[in-house]
Every structure is written in structure tokens, then in C-alpha cells.
Amino acid sequence: WGQWLREPKALPCAPASALPSARARITSTRANGRTATIATGHDGDDLFYIKTIKRADRCLYVRFIYPAQDADALGVVVGHVGTSFVD
């Protein structure tokens, strides 16, 4: 499933702000354009993909969480959909 969050500009625009739970761990982070960051990782038996986009007045997140057992089938789709949100 996916979701988006909107964070006030006073808060940091970082993938760690959108982790699915306290036990979630980021395993990879990379810049994507001038104002976006992509992070991937795991949360128990689930994988996640988070993209943050910093705007002048807000921070937008796109977050996908899916079972690790479906990584082969969903990983490419999640990456494609996530990168379609551009900064």
C-alpha cells in the first residue's frame, strides 16, 4: 500500500521522518534531483520505499510498504511509480 504525508516546513524534510515504525531501518539513501531524496529499507518482514520532495513551503512524502516476499514482483513497480513523482 502507499500513502503520502505533508510535513510543515519547520520540520526536517528527511526520509527518517516518514519511517513506518520505530523498528524500521533505512538501508539505502540517495539524492534524486535538486530537492528530492529516496530511501529504501526494511521493517520486519516488509520493505519500504520513501521519497521526500522539499518545496519552499512544505515537504511531501511518498511511501510504499510491501511484503519482502513480493520484492521481485513489486520492487520495480514501486520504483517506477515513486520516480514518477518529480521535484
Side-chain angles (χ1 to χ4, degrees):
W1 57 276
Q3 80 184 109
W4 66 273
L5 305 168
R6 182 175 172 179
E7 184 177 85
K9 67 179 179 179
L11 298 174
C13 186
S17 299
L19 289 176
S21 76
R23 67 182 179 161
R25 298 291 175 252
I26 294 174
T27 56
S28 173
T29 304
R30 67 180 172 91
N32 183 251
R34 296 180 318 274
T35 60
T37 303
I38 294 173
T40 58
H42 60 87
D43 183 10
D45 292 334
D46 293 331
L47 300 176
F48 62 83
Y49 171 103
I50 300 169
K51 182 172 186 177
T52 61
I53 301 174
K54 178 72 173 165
R55 295 289 184 187
D57 62 340
R58 65 192 178 279
C59 182
L60 302 174
Y61 296 93
V62 177
R63 179 173 68 184
F64 298 96
I65 302 168
Y66 55 98
Q69 66 196 31
D70 296 333
D72 289 341
L74 295 177
V76 173
V77 173
V78 167
H80 179 72
V81 172
T83 56
S84 70
F85 293 95
V86 295
D87 59 338

